[in-house]
Amino acid sequence: MARPETWQLIAANYPVSVVMQTRFQDIDPNRHLNNVAFAAMFENARVRLNRSLRPWADRPKNERSMVASVAINYLREGHYPDDVEVSSGVSKIGRSSYVIAQAMFQNGQCIATCESVIVCRTDGEGRPLRQEVVDELEKMRTTG
């Protein structure tokens, strides 16, 4: 995976941020946040972003959004008990998918970045994103 672009390392370039507490159970034998904890915090922030884009109650019953891929760059060690801030936004919008770009910050430094490809499926098959979904995604664009 390529190193993150400079814009990805700046919290202000993301429209949504959430502060999360780290937990004792998140540390590895070296007393650093483990990779599973990073993935879980990115997932939690990603779900919050998706729920704010399109409330689940408004979506047709036969439509699903699914994670097609997740790529995490671990840039620095994270530490317990310091909180982390996960910043998120939409970096790309395709015909039937979009990319959520995220960065995790602790004590003023970016410690990881994440990109997740989300695909739209209707009746079990890939389908183009509905225009109202695209409109909501546009509101959550990253500025990088």
Side-chain angles (χ1 to χ4, degrees):
M1 181 173 186
R3 290 202 47 82
E5 295 181 39
T6 304
W7 72 265
Q8 292 176 286
L9 308 176
I10 302 167
N13 289 331
Y14 299 87
V16 177
S17 289
V18 60
V19 174
M20 298 181 193
Q21 292 181 334
T22 58
R23 305 169 305 171
F24 180 77
Q25 70 190 47
D26 293 337
I27 60 174
D28 63 19
N30 295 320
R31 303 198 51 84
H32 305 129
L33 297 179
N34 66 51
N35 60 338
V36 175
F38 277 79
M41 288 185 273
F42 278 128
E43 177 186 46
N44 187 40
R46 182 176 63 243
V47 168
R48 287 179 183 220
L49 176 71
N50 274 329
R51 289 183 62 104
S52 71
L53 286 171
R54 178 175 52 152
W56 292 36
D58 294 346
R59 131 170 62 179
K61 298 272 187 230
N62 62 339
E63 182 183 274
R64 301 279 184 263
S65 55
M66 301 173 65
V67 175
S69 70
V70 175
I72 299 174
N73 274 327
Y74 301 94
L75 306 174
R76 290 183 173 79
E77 296 166 348
H79 300 279
Y80 169 83
D82 299 342
D83 291 348
V84 296
E85 179 179 1
V86 180
S87 299
S88 307
V90 175
S91 61
K92 297 175 188 144
I93 302 172
R95 185 173 170 272
S96 61
S97 65
Y98 58 99
V99 176
I100 296 177
Q102 299 175 285
M104 185 180 299
F105 301 89
Q106 190 175 55
N107 301 319
Q109 293 192 332
C110 185
I111 61 172
T113 60
C114 180
E115 286 191 336
S116 302
V117 177
I118 312 298
V119 297
C120 179
R121 295 181 57 83
T122 304
D123 295 326
E125 295 185 17
R127 294 281 193 257
L129 295 165
R130 290 181 288 117
Q131 187 58 50
E132 54 267 30
V133 174
V134 173
D135 294 344
E136 288 296 309
L137 291 169
E138 287 291 350
K139 294 175 189 176
M140 294 294 175
R141 283 278 201 172
T142 56
T143 57

